Each structure stands twice: as C-alpha cells, then as structure tokens.
Amino acid sequence: MMYNNRGQYVQTWQTEMQKACFTSPLFCCLAIWCSPCVSYQNRVEALHGDMRFYTCCQGLLPCSGRMKEESCPEACLCLEVCCCFPNSVLATRYLLQDEMQLQNTKCDNCLFNTMVALQGLACVCYIASFIEPGLRDTAALVDTIADMVYCSVCACMQVRFRRTSRLSREIWPSRTPSEDHEPLIP
C-alpha cells in the first residue's frame, strides 16, 4: 500500500471547507440527502472513470483488495458507499488529495477533530446513560448534534471534491490515476 505524507503537500483546495456549502448549495443539498449516490459518482470521477483502479475503500481498510473487487468493481463500490459511507468519502478525498498534492487547512483539521470529538462525546453520554437513566435524553441530543455535524462535514467534503475534481480535469484532461503515481491499491 502506498502511504503519503500529506503534511508536506503545498497545493490548496479549490474551495475552502467552510465555504463549500455556499459555493454550490444545490449540490450540497444533494450530498446531504443522497449521500451514497454522490459518493459513488465522486469516486468514479476520482478514478477518471477507470474502475480497474478501484479497491474497496481505496486501501484504507485491512480487507481492501481482498474482496474480489476486480471482478465487479461497480457493485463493490455500490456496497461500499452504502455500508462504509464515511470510509468511502475519505477514500475519495485522499485519492484526490494525493493526486493533486493538496494540503489540509487548519479549518479542515478543526472540523474533522470537532466531528470526531462530538461522536466520542455521544458515545460517552450513552455509556453514562446506562449508569444514570435520566441522561438518555441528553445522550440522544448529543448524538443528534454529532450526526448533524458529521453529515454537514461529509457534504462539504463532497462539494469540495466535486469542485476540485473539475479543476483537475481542466488541468489534466486525459490523466489517469496511474500516469503520475501508483493508485492506492494494496
């Protein structure tokens, strides 16, 4: 598997994460309400339409490349975006980030850390609600907030990907994932 040092990339994303929903509000709504469909299309676009380079979660998980994806990559991608949606979005993000050598911004890191912290807080609240049943409503509220932040951040990542991917096609219209680097396949 190829690992990259994303911290040393110098290029910047076409759209800042905090502005992504405002630059393309209709696509953002589509990314919220039809997330798996958008994730599927974004991955196909990230692979430049060449599904030979598809691997489940693009190598992020230990089972990647061991699921016979090469025999039916479209069906496997469909299962991936439905069953492993967060990994699907991140795999597509990393694929484009590595191809274009795009760095994370401080805002990106803050949003990702906030999203993870809220999910962790929701988990702690649910555990605490087993000890003190009166905390169940609080746990449910924290979980709802965490899910809303998660959905918003994923939608922003997908909007950002879409805008940056189109720029990538303008710069390298006939480029495939294998021309400048090996694809993220174990």
Side-chain angles (χ1 to χ4, degrees):
M1 174 182 296
M2 187 173 93
Y3 293 96
N4 292 300
N5 191 355
R6 293 181 184 97
Q8 294 182 359
Y9 290 163
V10 295
Q11 302 298 322
T12 57
W13 291 89
Q14 173 74 11
T15 304
E16 294 179 36
M17 184 81 88
Q18 71 269 26
K19 296 179 182 177
C21 288
F22 301 110
T23 59
S24 188
L26 292 177
F27 187 76
C28 184
C29 288
L30 181 65
I32 288 172
W33 299 111
C34 196
S35 302
C37 298
V38 171
S39 185
Y40 183 97
Q41 183 58 41
N42 281 347
R43 177 67 67 75
V44 171
E45 196 170 310
L47 293 169
H48 302 276
D50 191 347
M51 294 300 285
R52 291 177 300 153
F53 297 108
Y54 170 76
T55 301
C56 182
C57 297
Q58 225 50 41
L60 292 176
L61 300 177
C63 62
S64 299
R66 296 179 178 89
M67 310 289 285
K68 304 288 185 209
E69 299 97 329
E70 66 278 355
S71 63
C72 193
E74 292 83 4
C76 289
L77 179 56
C78 187
L79 285 171
E80 174 190 319
V81 299
C82 291
C83 300
C84 304
F85 176 73
N87 290 332
S88 173
V89 173
L90 286 174
T92 304
R93 173 188 169 78
Y94 293 150
L95 193 61
L96 184 66
Q97 192 172 14
D98 292 342
E99 178 180 334
M100 296 186 69
Q101 297 192 353
L102 300 164
Q103 64 180 330
N104 281 342
T105 65
K106 289 180 182 178
C107 180
D108 293 347
N109 294 334
C110 181
L111 285 170
F112 297 148
N113 291 334
T114 301
M115 182 176 69
V116 170
L118 284 172
Q119 293 290 337
L121 180 61
C123 182
V124 168
C125 288
Y126 274 118
I127 292 170
S129 74
F130 289 124
I131 298 167
E132 177 58 48
L135 293 175
R136 284 197 179 111
D137 289 340
T138 302
L141 176 65
V142 172
D143 189 42
T144 300
I145 292 168
D147 287 345
M148 290 171 57
V149 169
Y150 166 79
C151 288
S152 300
V153 170
C154 281
C156 288
M157 276 195 285
Q158 294 197 86
V159 169
R160 182 189 226 186
F161 167 80
R162 181 65 143 218
R163 293 180 57 80
T164 304
S165 176
R166 292 189 178 191
L167 174 67
S168 169
R169 281 196 319 257
E170 290 172 14
I171 295 171
W172 302 295
S174 62
R175 188 174 180 192
T176 62
S178 64
E179 288 180 19
D180 288 339
H181 65 277
E182 294 179 27
L184 296 175
I185 298 174

